Amino acid sequence: MSLAWEDFVEEVKQRVNIVDVISRYVNLKKTGKNYVGLCPFHQEKTPSFYVSPDKGLYHCFGCGAAGDVFSFLINYRNLTFREALEELAREVGLELPKKDERISAEANIFLEINKAVATFYHIYLNSKYGAEGRLYLKKRGVSSEIQEKFLLGYAPLNPTLLLKYLEKKGFSKDDILKAKVLYFIKDEWKDPFAGRVVFPIMNPRGKVIGFGGRTLTGEEPKYLNSPESDLFSKGKNLYALYQAKESIKKEGEAILVEGYMDAISLHQAGITNAVASLGTAFTSHQAKLLKSYTNKVILGYDQDSAGYQAGKRALSLLELEGLEVYWLSLPHDVKDPDEFVQKYSKEEFLRFVKESKTSLDFLIENTLNLPMNFKEKLEEIIEILTSSILRSKNILVQQEKIKQYLPVISRKLGVPEEGLQREIQKRIFSDRSYRNDVKIEITRYFGVSKTEEVLLGLILLKTNNSQIRNMSPEDFSFPLYQEVLKKWRIWEGTLEEFLNLWDEDKRVLIDRAISSGEEFINQEEVIPFLWDHFQKLRIKKEINKLIEELSKVEDPAKEKELMEEIYFLRSLLEVKD
């Protein structure tokens, strides 16, 4: 019997044992009817991560991470909902229902076209017509093995060669145009990468989602990327992550570089945990993506001023995600990692990696050595330290940074520690004062219903906040919101198409949630407080539930267990306040 998609999701969830799944990644111990362990989503010494097999849910009372078995896999392993569903369905022996989804089918066609295009460019590079591309790669020291590993290619000047190849593979002109690999302009076919060496860009699962092309003629721009689309976004992907992900996990760290050739040269040298941003400023999406694979990142950006500024931006975004960030300083006779490994050995590069300083150490030391006047230097250093402190969410880490760096700055600049500390605390207090005003506003006016309304709106508007974006239907108390999220998490069409599914009465409530979400979607500094407020409401609700349960219990052992849970939850509320 064929199940509807929503019913199928529920069927999978009912059959899966959430404890078995989470136990593969977290060491859980049974406490009463629940299981507890150290949270995999933040660092802690006292376990506050609870898994309830009866409810099929997990919840961390420390950081607020919560959800069902799908949410866990989405957040822990960086899977999409569809991938998590497919994996768990296979485990319990269920076959996904057949569905005629035009959008899903179209996306698969585009992926197949991209794969065929990458194959064509690669074949052309290795043909007698690809000599110019091979000569460039030879000059850059790229071996044939690495060309194969990264599926490097060369695009012919004549775009009809690619067109005919794709048509022979069975793709229609209409799909080729929609995939944006070729264009038809003024009765002529155009290939945006014509005459360029081509770098296929893959997602973490090895699917070709776009391309980068390097000119060989001095044409501008030097590097060109595929246009933004539902499949490809420069700011949401990392070059070479597919080739590097296993090595990153094994080494426990990623080396983040700027360019394609930096990543390729490092892989060729046997340093296979290197990834690169895609010709764009590093983004929070890319930081979150790295966080899925490691907690430590080494910044290997170019040695020039532009590389320094780009590195500072990347550092701030990585720190906000809670990653440990180190700064790789190479000798002044090379401009980037590519040039270094061409000139020196793998062992030499790894020595510099091992000696890399924490990014804060590097920035402060670098600023101390800059040719600036005293006032400018002092202001820059105070700003660097204050910003780093504010990005640290753990107050103990904040205090440690002040304790570690104030004496050094004081000694180097000849400024009293007390004065430095007063200035830094003043700036921290000023920032917190603004945040506290926002927090009071949310706490005062947002009850459970209003908070849930805003959160649902943010989910439908595709907020960047992963905790909110990956919430489960069970996180909501309002049945309509649960129903909406059950449908939304498997929806692949547009928001407008989704809204048309609902009758007028429900549509009004969903539209209101979207309007509420729109008030917050661009206020990144407010959303964490909203999430924190929601967690407090949940904890209070859980406490009230346990108190009610306690009033009906006669067994002394059970009474003690409930009292301990209530005490623990109340202590968490005190910490959050």
Side-chain angles (χ1 to χ4, degrees), residues 79-143:
L79 300 181
T80 63
F81 179 80
R82 173 76 181 225
E83 289 164 345
L85 178 61
E86 288 176 350
E87 183 174 309
L88 293 174
R90 278 196 303 272
E91 285 191 20
V92 295
L94 290 176
E95 186 177 340
L96 268 68
K98 299 286 187 292
K99 64 174 187 172
D100 181 20
E101 285 283 359
R102 178 187 60 80
I103 295 171
S104 178
E106 192 174 71
N108 286 331
I109 289 170
F110 293 166
L111 286 171
E112 288 301 316
I113 289 174
N114 284 343
K115 180 181 177 182
V117 171
T119 302
F120 172 79
Y121 287 152
H122 185 64
I123 292 170
Y124 195 79
L125 172 70
N126 290 290
S127 73
K128 63 181 181 180
Y129 305 106
E132 196 173 350
R134 291 197 304 276
L135 179 62
Y136 169 78
L137 292 172
K138 185 179 180 181
K139 285 179 180 176
R140 297 299 300 263
V142 182
S143 69

Side-chain angles (χ1 to χ4, degrees), residues 265-403:
S265 292
L266 289 177
H267 277 258
Q268 182 165 297
I271 302 157
T272 54
N273 59 331
V275 296
S277 49
L278 292 163
T280 184
F282 191 75
T283 67
S284 59
H285 287 288
Q286 291 169 321
K288 287 180 173 68
L289 187 55
L290 274 176
K291 176 72 172 174
S292 304
Y293 295 94
T294 185
N295 286 314
K296 181 180 177 183
V297 174
I298 296 158
L299 281 173
Y301 275 26
D302 291 359
Q303 301 290 99
D304 57 11
S305 174
Y308 176 75
Q309 294 303 324
K312 282 176 69 176
R313 173 180 165 77
L315 154 69
S316 64
L317 294 170
L318 291 163
E319 278 195 341
L320 280 169
E321 288 302 315
L323 287 148
E324 295 175 49
V325 190
Y326 290 76
W327 197 290
L328 176 64
S329 293
L330 297 174
H332 294 301
D333 63 336
V334 296
K335 68 177 188 296
D336 54 32
D338 171 34
E339 191 174 319
F340 183 95
V341 291
Q342 299 286 349
K343 191 171 183 178
Y344 300 102
S345 66
K346 169 188 175 180
E347 289 70 30
E348 277 293 292
F349 186 85
L350 291 177
R351 181 173 67 81
F352 278 98
V353 167
K354 191 174 181 181
E355 293 173 358
S356 59
K357 299 176 179 176
T358 68
S359 50
L360 191 52
D361 273 335
F362 171 80
L363 290 176
I364 289 175
E365 187 177 308
N366 185 69
T367 305
L368 286 168
N369 294 324
L370 287 175
M372 303 163 70
N373 65 45
F374 174 81
K375 188 176 180 182
E376 290 172 334
K377 196 173 286 190
L378 180 61
E379 173 62 29
E380 178 72 10
I381 286 177
I382 289 175
E383 182 59 32
I384 287 169
L385 184 54
T386 304
S387 298
S388 183
I389 290 167
L390 287 169
R391 287 193 292 268
S392 302
K393 296 171 185 175
N394 187 317
I395 195 165
L396 294 176
V397 174
Q398 293 180 348
Q399 291 170 350
E400 185 58 35
K401 284 182 178 179
I402 293 173
K403 182 180 175 183

Side-chain angles (χ1 to χ4, degrees), residues 328-495:
L328 176 64
S329 293
L330 297 174
H332 294 301
D333 63 336
V334 296
K335 68 177 188 296
D336 54 32
D338 171 34
E339 191 174 319
F340 183 95
V341 291
Q342 299 286 349
K343 191 171 183 178
Y344 300 102
S345 66
K346 169 188 175 180
E347 289 70 30
E348 277 293 292
F349 186 85
L350 291 177
R351 181 173 67 81
F352 278 98
V353 167
K354 191 174 181 181
E355 293 173 358
S356 59
K357 299 176 179 176
T358 68
S359 50
L360 191 52
D361 273 335
F362 171 80
L363 290 176
I364 289 175
E365 187 177 308
N366 185 69
T367 305
L368 286 168
N369 294 324
L370 287 175
M372 303 163 70
N373 65 45
F374 174 81
K375 188 176 180 182
E376 290 172 334
K377 196 173 286 190
L378 180 61
E379 173 62 29
E380 178 72 10
I381 286 177
I382 289 175
E383 182 59 32
I384 287 169
L385 184 54
T386 304
S387 298
S388 183
I389 290 167
L390 287 169
R391 287 193 292 268
S392 302
K393 296 171 185 175
N394 187 317
I395 195 165
L396 294 176
V397 174
Q398 293 180 348
Q399 291 170 350
E400 185 58 35
K401 284 182 178 179
I402 293 173
K403 182 180 175 183
Q404 180 180 350
Y405 291 103
L406 279 192
V408 177
I409 298 168
S410 171
R411 188 172 64 254
K412 293 276 180 105
L413 291 179
V415 177
E417 272 189 53
E418 296 78 10
L420 281 172
Q421 187 156 359
R422 275 196 305 272
E423 179 60 28
I424 289 169
Q425 286 176 336
K426 184 173 78 175
R427 297 188 188 199
I428 293 171
F429 179 79
S430 173
D431 183 87
R432 284 182 182 157
S433 178
Y434 163 72
R435 291 169 183 248
N436 282 336
D437 288 343
V438 175
K439 193 173 180 181
I440 289 166
E441 195 76 10
I442 290 172
T443 305
R444 184 176 295 166
Y445 297 113
F446 283 33
V448 173
S449 60
K450 179 62 178 176
T451 305
E452 288 192 2
E453 179 183 287
V454 175
L455 290 173
L456 180 67
L458 289 170
I459 290 168
L460 295 177
L461 293 168
K462 299 184 178 179
T463 174
N464 290 332
N465 186 294
S466 60
Q467 290 173 309
I468 296 173
R469 191 173 63 246
N470 295 325
M471 287 175 71
S472 299
E474 291 80 7
D475 290 329
F476 291 92
S477 57
F478 187 23
L480 173 62
Y481 293 171
Q482 293 178 349
E483 187 184 354
V484 169
L485 196 50
K486 283 177 183 177
K487 290 183 185 295
W488 179 251
R489 74 200 309 199
I490 57 174
W491 184 252
E492 294 177 342
T494 65
L495 177 57

